[in-house]
Amino acid sequence: MDDQRPENIVGGKSFTAVAINCAAKAGEWIKIKSGTFTELDLKYSKHDLVTEVDKGAERMIRNLIATHFPQHSFLGEEGVEPGPEASAKAIERVSDAEYLWIVDPVDGTTNYVHGFPFFSVSIALAHRGQVMVGVIYDPMRDELFVAERGKGAYVHGRKMQVSPEPALAQSLVATGFPSDHRMALPVNLKGIQAIAPQVRNLRSAGSAALHLAYVAAGRLSGLWEIGLSSWDIAAGSLLVEESGGRLSDTQGQPYHLGVRNIVATNGRIHEELVGALKQADATG
Ligand code: IPD
Ligand code: CA
Ligand code: CA
């Protein structure tokens, strides 16, 4: 804790309560609209989808936050131009804001569109670049993952802890198939080819935020992915840290809001996973 950050303000219940309220309200609405959305648009590429539900949920969250904290800054996926360069610039511009909410209203839009029930609402609050609150909500399973810096991470009020696997050989590891097929996908595919034979198995369920929550909950041993955005990672980063896990970029350097190539693990397999990605020249 630095001296300018009084515990009663930064760690205050109200930030977390608002984050939970936003995630729950948006999640409920997303679930109600599931299967009945009417507008499907392409963003950066034919692999990058958006519906009116993504936009409406972000609007709902933004308005709720503005009602409670009108001075706070807000970064939401749907308020940013599509594509990796715009995403990277967007977080650069605001990352040292005093209070910054970082929101992915629907992480896993492709799943949402196809009725594959694995998507989430991801909401983080950062104070001068450091994530202080992270909330991820899975409306289909009604699972709410909540972390406050220094206070642990919880699902359904149960404290979470990362899994105990000591090595890749015993691990279940997740990754993704990025929608950026120019830069990120080829690198991630190289990683998949290298990592698949070394782990128990790989999973790619289509919501990076929910994958991070699953690492925190000990359901996955770790994950890596190339080319994510700040809103995919921010909330989950705190869940993983507060559950005793470890986070870095794919080179093993410490996580910060600008990191797009991420490794998040139970800690025990971290060096091995980073090493295997380096060896495969799959760090991005
Ligand atoms: C995507 C999901 C997916 C990941 C992609 C992300 P979106 O987010 O997190 O798991 O592989 O790279 O873009 O577009 O559904 O919010
Ligand atoms: Ca996302
Ligand atoms: Ca999204």
Side-chain angles (χ1 to χ4, degrees), residues 194-205:
I195 303 299
Q198 302 188 46
V199 291
R200 266 194 188 142
N201 217 325
L202 288 183
R203 293 291 178 263
S204 183

Side-chain angles (χ1 to χ4, degrees), residues 43 48-50 54 58 77-78 103-109 120 231-232:
K43 297 210 289 185
D48 190 11
L49 311 180
V50 65
D54 299 71
E58 181 161 314
E77 176 176 16
E78 306 313 332
V103 171
D104 191 338
V106 182
D107 186 57
T109 298
S120 58
W231 45 78
D232 302 312

